[in-house]
Amino acid sequence: MLIYLLADILFIDINAANEIKNMIGNDKMKNTKAIKNISNVLTIFLLIVVSLLLVRNICYVKIVVSGESMSPNLHNADYGYAIKTNYAKTHINRFSIVIFENETSKEDIIKRVIGLPGETISFKGEGNDLYVNGQLIDQYFIDEEMIKDTLLYGSYSTDEEIIIPENSYFVLGDNRTNSIDSMHGLGFIKQKQIIGVLSFIFPNKGYGFKYF
């Protein structure tokens, strides 16, 4: 009778030990699987970060706004990224904001494209209204107070037709009376001078960003 009792106790202990062993084994498997999943997620995250950095360095150029010639849309010390013209030739449109090199000073300048290659533009109605190939164009990005000063101190007069050469652009600052641009000293900007087209900007003051 005692022998049977001992055998039952031993059998129970062996089963219990096996159950504990299985539980420990399952926990190890779960932990190993969890670690593997975390490792996979981290690997994917690192690949995404590396890919984004490569795209940024290859396709984009960092810019920092200097001065207030593009206010009220861009302000001094705002910073952002412009897509290089190697990847953005088809994206230079009217009212695109471009970064180009001044052929004289070799400094980078930020202005807005007003006229495209081969177009004829003029400013009518006391210089308030922009006409491109005879059609009135809405300058939605600045208010009327700034638009009316477009010709102030400029190289062109009201109603004068400006014919833009091929492979060149006519650019202006949004702050028309405080900008060195095609109207004020720079003349036409050649295609080869353009470094990139602004994609997005982070304000120096405040939060968020603007996408262009």
Side-chain angles (χ1 to χ4, degrees), residues 15 38 40 42 54 62 89 99 103 132 162 176 192:
N15 284 343
I38 292 171
N40 289 338
L42 288 174
L54 285 173
K62 185 177 180 179
K89 286 181 179 177
I99 295 84
E103 289 185 317
V132 177
I162 305 167
R176 296 289 165 82
K192 66 180 182 180

Side-chain angles (χ1 to χ4, degrees), residues 5 11 17 20 47 58 75 86 118 140 142-143 156 182 186 204:
L5 181 59
F11 181 74
I20 292 171
L47 286 173
I58 294 172
H75 297 279
N86 292 343
Y140 59 86
I142 52 177
D143 59 35
Y156 301 95
S182 293
L186 291 183
N204 179 45

Side-chain angles (χ1 to χ4, degrees), residues 124-137:
K124 300 182 179 182
E126 299 182 355
N128 296 1
D129 302 324
L130 168 64
Y131 281 79
V132 177
N133 296 333
Q135 293 188 335
L136 178 64
I137 303 296

Side-chain angles (χ1 to χ4, degrees), residues 67-80:
E68 293 293 337
S69 69
M70 287 298 293
S71 66
N73 296 299
L74 303 179
H75 297 279
N76 185 55
D78 287 353
Y79 66 96

Side-chain angles (χ1 to χ4, degrees), residues 93-96 112-116 119-142 147-148 150-151 156 158-162 164 170-172 174 176 183:
N93 302 311
R94 189 179 334 282
F95 301 148
S96 293
R112 190 183 296 273
V113 172
I114 300 298
L116 303 173
E119 291 184 335
T120 298
I121 67 173
S122 59
F123 295 91
K124 300 182 179 182
E126 299 182 355
N128 296 1
D129 302 324
L130 168 64
Y131 281 79
V132 177
N133 296 333
Q135 293 188 335
L136 178 64
I137 303 296
D138 179 24
Q139 300 181 77
Y140 59 86
F141 47 89
I142 52 177
I147 291 173
K148 75 178 184 180
T150 296
L151 297 179
Y156 301 95
T158 304
D159 295 334
E160 181 179 354
E161 290 191 339
I162 305 167
I164 304 170
F170 189 90
V171 300
L172 293 176
D174 290 351
R176 296 289 165 82
M183 185 73 74

